Amino acid sequence: MCRGGDEAPDDCGSREEWTLLFWTSLAVIVPVIITLWCSAQSSKRKTHMKDFFRKSKHGWRYTDLFNKPTYCCVCAQHILRGAFCDCCGVCADEQCLRRADRSLSCKEIMAPFSPDGAVEHRWVRGNVPLASYCAVCKQQCGTQPKLCDFRCVWCQTTVHDDCMDTQEDAGQCDLGEFHDLIIPPHYLYLVNKLRRRHPDEYSKLAASYGSGWTPVLVLANTRSGNNMGEALLGEFRTLLNPVQVFDLSVLTPSKALQLCTLLPPGSVRVLVCGGDGTVGWVLDAIDAMKLKGQDQFMPRVTILPLGTGNDLSNTLGWGAGYAGEIPVEQVLRNILDAEVVKMDRWKVQVASKGLYFRKPKVSWICRPGLVGGALDSQEAACPLQVLSMNNYFSVGPDALMALNFHAHREKTPSFFSSRIINKAVYFLYGTKDCLVQECKDLDKRIELDLDGERVTLPSLEGIIVCNIGYWGGGCRLWEGMGDEPCPPTRLDDGLLEVVGVFGSFHCAQIQVKLANPIRLGQAHTVRLVLKSSKMPMQVDGEPWAQGPCTITITHKTQTLMLYHSAEQTDDDDDESSASETESPTPHGSPKPQGPVSAQA
């Protein structure tokens, strides 16, 4: 109680306020300081662990209490903070990590046969997959809350602790369900011992694995779509030989595909985990193998769609996008069942008559006529740019949306980490173009020739040249609503489908099957002349702004792809049964030759 005159109560109240302010501040600041200190220590600890991971022979990945329950393979205690190897499945807490790295070996990518010529199991104790069953007693494994039971890192066989001694083939491993897709470690050991590196020698070595041996290489872009690539890399390393799995952010496709030259010719399959741009990157690397004289080693390509559009994947039957809805094991089974088809690839030549406005991600090529290392004035003003096309080329509103999207993604790449967000941004830019109409009067600024014949253009805002059946993230562009007869399309006929659109709103109507495109025709060679101003253009989703130019699209080559026909790739089952216009298999209907006129 305050005493001492008239001012005493005021002084007492002031002291109480300051005391309350002090304790309140302390109650706020102390937890913040503790949180920041813990965060700094955690960041420092993870940095040390990453340095250790880089030097280790294991493929360590950080784990903690909030991930799936794991037990340390060294001390058998539950892991609060530690790591697991995504190749062999060994788990260790922080205190036992270095000891585990020294004493527990990882999957050997190259190893000799055992003395009796059999392939031995490579057992790892504990942390077996959920719903796995013992190969001996057929009862479920891993049901006890402790480190128990064994798993072979190659064939994925699981065995109880008590059943291990009674297993009849304890020393023999058949590599499991996916033995036709795995590169056995002893194969690479024998290849390394060969004195003469020749395709015939590889075929002799592969004869012991059977005629169905078709090893698969996994090339994943960890930056595609919804950033699932990192997790997929780990799952594939668990099921396959780690030497078969490549991260394209670390190693380029051209270097990864050199492994094909150590395998029997014509046997390799490549699984590309990424978007259409990643697939094009890999196909360009395969084309480069021809220039090196490695034609016989060229692989077949299949796709696990992780990008935003995924139109090529949709056309080949692999779906419009992968978000983990089916397990990786089923993806490998689908690859085993897929059939080989041919797909046309096209060369897009852009001869600029002036300066380009935004350079696409390809190199410029000078025209012939160099004299003393310099071009004459006419040639200097007309550089030639060559691109490869798998899906489509377009000029107009859809290219403008792609251009705006890519410009903003380059500024803030972390924001565009979800397929849903990416499509929402495309929608916003499409809505904006409906109001602004930046590409109007395209027919007055461009000329179109199909196989040398001039096409009279209606009032358009965009022209799209398609090689595949799908466009714009799952729309059958050439088919439209499906209510009008139209020439069939195929992947291997050497023909391009050319359509026009009235604008962004027309594109949206086509995507929801409320309108048909303006079918301008089909042709083996397409030539467009942009006479004035600049226009947005794109090839397979790679956009740029282009000034006056001449664009010529001609056939480049054919590549071998894998087609999955066991599932429907969109929800239009009724329409696909009534009108099947996309037939990527070699048994489709013949197509008319040359340009074909059609009314919308």
Side-chain angles (χ1 to χ4, degrees):
M1 185 172 180
C2 295
R3 295 177 182 173
D6 296 336
E7 297 182 359
D10 294 338
D11 294 340
C12 182
S14 177
R15 283 196 300 269
E16 289 178 354
E17 290 177 359
W18 280 106
T19 302
L20 179 62
L21 179 61
F22 170 77
W23 287 111
T24 302
S25 302
L26 195 65
V28 173
I29 293 174
V30 169
V32 171
I33 293 175
I34 294 175
T35 302
L36 293 176
W37 182 83
C38 292
S39 178
Q41 292 298 314
S42 177
S43 178
K44 183 178 179 181
R45 183 171 56 252
K46 287 185 178 181
T47 301
H48 287 310
M49 292 181 70
K50 286 181 179 179
D51 293 338
F52 172 73
F53 292 169
R54 281 195 294 266
K55 300 174 184 177
S56 174
K57 294 181 180 179
H58 283 272
W60 294 114
R61 294 292 180 269
Y62 182 79
T63 187
D64 55 29
L65 178 65
F66 300 102
N67 291 328
K68 66 178 182 179
T70 51
Y71 296 89
C72 178
C73 294
V74 178
C75 66
Q77 298 300 312
H78 188 65
I79 294 178
L80 299 180
R81 289 193 303 265
F84 69 96
C85 175
D86 62 7
C87 297
C88 65
V90 168
C91 302
D93 58 27
E94 270 190 294
Q95 290 74 24
C96 302
L97 195 56
R98 296 186 182 276
R99 182 180 172 187
D101 193 65
R102 291 192 304 266
S103 60
L104 302 176
S105 59
C106 191
K107 266 186 178 180
E108 294 181 330
I109 63 175
M110 184 171 62
F113 283 101
S114 61
D116 59 356
V119 181
E120 296 182 349
H121 284 290
R122 166 72 174 82
W123 298 106
V124 170
R125 187 162 186 259
N127 305 302
V128 299
L130 299 175
S132 57
Y133 291 86
C134 177
V136 178
C137 68
K138 310 304 179 184
Q139 298 299 314
Q140 189 170 355
C141 291
T143 56
Q144 302 181 49
K146 64 177 183 179
L147 189 75
C148 62
D149 304 336
F150 290 87
R151 177 184 64 89
C152 175
V153 300
W154 288 107
C155 65
Q156 311 304 320
T157 297
T158 53
V159 180
H160 286 127
D161 293 332
D162 298 335
C163 299
M164 177 60 74
D165 296 335
T166 61
Q167 189 182 10
E168 296 179 357
D169 59 343
Q172 297 181 358
C173 177
D174 61 357
L175 300 182
E177 178 184 1
F178 305 112
H179 61 275
D180 284 338
L181 300 178
I182 296 175
I183 301 177
H186 44 269
Y187 173 84
L188 294 177
Y189 178 82
L190 295 175
V191 167
N192 192 47
K193 293 293 184 181
L194 287 177
R195 293 184 178 180
R196 187 172 72 103
R197 297 288 180 89
H198 192 273
D200 294 340
E201 299 295 329
Y202 303 148
S203 299
K204 291 178 182 178
L205 292 178
S208 60
Y209 306 118
S211 58
W213 187 51
T214 54
V216 62
L217 306 185
V218 179
L219 279 63
N221 185 353
T222 55
R223 300 170 184 171
S224 287
N226 51 0
N227 297 326
M228 289 189 61
E230 193 70 36
L232 286 171
L233 285 172
E235 294 187 55
F236 282 117
R237 289 192 187 105
T238 299
L239 297 173
L240 306 173
N241 191 330
V243 79
Q244 300 173 240
V245 184
F246 300 93
D247 184 352
L248 294 182
S249 65
V250 177
L251 198 69
T252 61
S254 58
K255 293 182 179 179
L257 291 173
Q258 289 306 300
L259 182 58
C260 297
T261 62
L262 300 179
L263 297 167
S267 66
V268 183
R269 301 184 174 197
V270 170
L271 173 62
V272 182
C273 304
D276 290 340
T278 305
V279 177
W281 189 18
V282 173
L283 292 179
D284 286 339
I286 293 175
D287 285 345
M289 295 177 69
K290 294 182 181 179
L291 303 178
K292 300 177 183 177
Q294 299 171 347
D295 304 50
Q296 55 187 331
F297 296 107
M298 291 172 58
R300 283 75 171 150
V301 179
T302 183
I303 307 169
L304 187 63
L306 301 182
T308 302
N310 304 310
D311 291 306
L312 180 56
S313 170
N314 218 356
T315 300
L316 292 170
W318 297 103
Y322 179 79
E325 59 274 6
I326 62 173
V328 169
E329 291 84 354
Q330 186 59 47
V331 173
L332 295 177
R333 294 186 192 105
N334 292 342
I335 294 175
L336 286 170
D337 298 335
E339 58 180 304
V340 180
V341 298
K342 292 181 179 180
M343 184 185 76
D344 295 320
R345 299 194 73 215
W346 300 83
K347 179 171 64 175
V348 180
Q349 295 177 305
V350 183
S352 299
K353 299 178 182 178
L355 296 175
Y356 56 87
F357 290 86
R358 184 178 186 271
K359 183 178 178 181
K361 298 178 182 179
V362 290
S363 58
W364 288 83
I365 302 175
C366 293
R367 285 173 176 261
L370 282 169
V371 179
L375 293 170
D376 60 42
S377 58
Q378 183 178 0
E379 290 172 339
C382 193
L384 181 66
Q385 182 188 16
V386 180
L387 306 93
S388 296
M389 186 187 87
N390 305 308
N391 300 359
Y392 36 71
F393 164 87
S394 70
V395 52
D398 65 323
L400 179 62
M401 287 186 283
L403 183 62
N404 291 330
F405 174 83
H406 278 257
H408 282 77
R409 186 166 67 172
E410 289 175 1
K411 295 178 181 178
T412 55
S414 59
F415 178 76
F416 299 89
S417 58
S418 168
R419 188 180 293 123
I420 296 177
I421 292 177
N422 295 350
K423 290 189 176 182
V425 173
Y426 267 105
F427 173 78
L428 291 176
Y429 282 126
T431 304
K432 174 187 173 183
D433 187 63
C434 289
L435 303 175
V436 179
Q437 293 184 324
E438 295 183 30
C439 303
K440 64 180 179 180
D441 297 329
L442 177 68
D443 53 298
K444 299 177 182 178
R445 293 185 276 176
I446 203 167
E447 295 177 353
L448 172 66
D449 293 342
L450 301 183
D451 287 340
E453 296 182 12
R454 180 64 51 83
V455 176
T456 302
L457 297 175
S459 179
L460 297 174
E461 286 192 25
I463 294 175
I464 305 168
V465 182
C466 291
N467 178 47
I468 61 177
Y470 284 86
W471 163 87
C475 167
R476 285 175 172 160
L477 181 62
W478 181 251
E479 178 185 351
M481 293 190 297
D483 60 344
E484 297 178 355
C486 58
T489 64
R490 284 180 49 159
L491 290 174
D492 60 349
D493 60 356
L495 283 174
L496 293 166
E497 287 72 47
V498 186
V499 303
V501 293
F502 294 125
S504 296
F505 186 70
H506 187 205
C507 290
Q509 287 180 308
I510 296 172
Q511 287 185 319
V512 296
K513 295 186 179 297
L514 293 178
N516 286 317
I518 308 300
R519 301 187 187 97
L520 300 174
Q522 295 173 294
H524 298 87
T525 301
V526 177
R527 183 173 180 268
L528 300 99
V529 179
L530 181 59
K531 297 179 288 187
S532 62
S533 72
K534 70 172 182 178
M535 288 294 294
M537 299 182 181
Q538 69 156 335
V539 172
D540 292 349
E542 290 294 334
W544 74 99
Q546 178 67 48
C549 66
T550 299
I551 299 165
T552 307
I553 306 177
T554 55
H555 192 268
K556 179 182 180 182
T557 185
Q558 283 190 331
T559 189
L560 298 176
M561 307 292 291
L562 292 179
Y563 177 71
H564 182 226
S565 57
E567 64 181 9
Q568 196 74 18
T569 59
D570 64 355
D571 57 358
D572 301 324
D573 298 335
D574 51 345
E575 295 198 15
S576 63
S577 61
S579 175
E580 185 66 28
T581 62
E582 173 63 29
S583 177
T585 60
H587 308 292
S589 304
K591 295 177 70 173
Q593 302 297 313
V596 178
S597 299
Q599 296 292 329

